[in-house]
Amino acid sequence: MSNTSAVFKACVGAIKGSQLIEREGRNDKEFHFQNWFRSRLETLQVNFDSPGRNTYPDFRLVRFAEGFEVKGLAYPGREADYDCNSQVPCGEHNGRQVYYVFGRYPANPDGSRYPVLDLVLCHGSFLNADDTYVHKNRSFRGFGSYGDILVRDRKMYVAPTPFALAEGTAHHRTLIVPDGHQVDADLVEVGRLVRREADQFVVAYSFDLRTNELATAHVRNPNAGREHVFKAYRAEGDPTDAVTLRSKAQVLLGLDATEAGRDDDD
């Protein structure tokens, strides 16, 4: 049994019912949307472990092998990608199915209460099909004139959001799950999305401390061309505008533009 449909419909119902995000203060830039989502789980009366520092996913259901990672995005603003920090997105983690909840809210609200503008709840495998990678930080000592400075390798991952990957998600409320995933009968299918694995992937990188240049090493992907099929759904009564997958070239162009904008700001 999956709780995904019920959670999605609870989010849609709350948005339609004008259940607002409540920011505790101007410095609350992380937990306001997370708290809004927590209220949806509480409404469903499902038991869950509360988010903690460095826990993944944010909300882990107690009686079900499911969890929800929550990402709030200011709109207009950064929406093409998001910081994964030290956890690469995946669809399964420690035997638990992982779902991502992306919600956009006004970037400059006129108060401490404001609406969720649109929302995508997607299975983690829509963002990344591999669930075998294990992140580890490493370090070495020996840098500097006296050879006693420690260098820490702390990787930061940045992944595209569903708003960047799929046309038709903006200004709507959409559920995206693998083909064959259990969904409630009253959800309306609005799209079939096929993601294909890349021909090559990165297996190593090196950083030249003299030139500040980064180099990557690639190998052929043994699953090159493998297709992962997903279905997009909307709640009954919501608009049925189609959801389609953007081409990889379109996605990369948008991500490059976002990264260039950040470089200009720096």
Side-chain angles (χ1 to χ4, degrees):
M1 175 182 175
S2 174
N3 294 274
T4 314
S5 294
V7 172
F8 173 65
K9 289 191 289 186
C11 291
V12 173
I15 296 172
K16 287 184 173 181
S18 299
Q19 297 294 315
L20 303 178
I21 298 172
E22 295 191 23
R23 183 174 60 187
E24 295 182 359
R26 289 191 173 275
N27 293 327
D28 179 10
K29 298 180 179 180
E30 180 178 358
F31 300 111
H32 50 158
F33 181 61
Q34 195 175 88
N35 291 337
W36 181 89
F37 181 76
R38 177 200 296 269
S39 296
R40 309 289 73 80
L41 294 181
E42 291 173 345
T43 299
L44 292 172
Q45 297 183 333
V46 293
N47 295 324
F48 58 88
D49 290 328
S50 297
R53 185 176 178 83
N54 298 325
T55 59
Y56 177 81
D58 292 322
F59 295 91
R60 287 142 291 130
L61 303 191
V62 173
R63 297 180 59 190
F64 303 91
E66 295 179 319
F68 297 87
E69 181 76 358
V70 180
K71 301 295 179 183
L73 304 170
Y75 177 81
R78 179 183 179 185
E79 59 187 74
D81 60 20
Y82 73 99
D83 292 334
C84 313
N85 297 321
S86 59
Q87 178 60 55
V88 176
C90 62
E92 182 177 330
H93 181 73
N94 288 340
R96 189 185 302 274
Q97 294 297 300
V98 180
Y99 302 86
Y100 280 72
V101 184
F102 292 88
R104 298 198 300 180
Y105 54 84
N108 297 299
D110 57 3
S112 60
R113 303 176 74 241
Y114 39 88
V116 178
L117 301 175
D118 48 19
L119 179 138
V120 176
L121 194 162
C122 69
H123 192 265
S125 60
F126 182 64
L127 305 174
N128 179 40
D130 179 30
D131 55 21
T132 62
Y133 174 73
V134 178
H135 167 90
K136 291 186 178 181
N137 289 323
R138 290 290 186 258
S139 63
F140 65 88
R141 191 179 300 279
F143 184 68
S145 301
Y146 302 110
D148 54 4
I149 296 176
L150 182 77
V151 176
R152 289 179 175 172
D153 176 44
R154 300 175 65 88
K155 294 175 286 294
M156 169 72 77
Y157 308 100
V158 180
T161 70
F163 296 107
L165 294 171
E167 187 77 40
T169 51
H171 314 301
H172 293 291
R173 300 168 284 264
T174 309
L175 171 67
I176 301 175
V177 291
D179 186 21
H181 189 288
Q182 175 190 352
V183 296
D184 288 356
D186 58 351
L187 293 179
V188 180
E189 183 179 328
V190 293
R192 181 178 184 271
L193 315 175
V194 181
R195 299 208 69 186
R196 293 177 178 84
E197 295 201 27
D199 292 338
Q200 295 183 323
F201 53 61
V202 176
V203 293
Y205 68 89
S206 60
F207 185 80
D208 192 320
L209 294 168
R210 298 163 298 181
T211 63
N212 288 326
E213 292 183 350
L214 195 66
T216 56
H218 297 74
V219 299
R220 176 169 175 76
N221 181 359
N223 295 320
R226 180 182 176 185
E227 295 185 344
H228 298 266
V229 182
F230 300 87
K231 295 288 185 68
Y233 297 90
R234 297 253 167 77
E236 190 174 29
D238 264 7
T240 56
D241 304 53
V243 176
T244 58
L245 193 69
R246 290 190 173 99
S247 69
K248 184 176 180 180
Q250 285 179 299
V251 173
L252 293 178
L253 186 64
L255 294 174
D256 288 344
T258 299
E259 188 65 27
R262 279 199 290 269
D263 291 342
D264 291 342
D265 292 339
D266 294 341

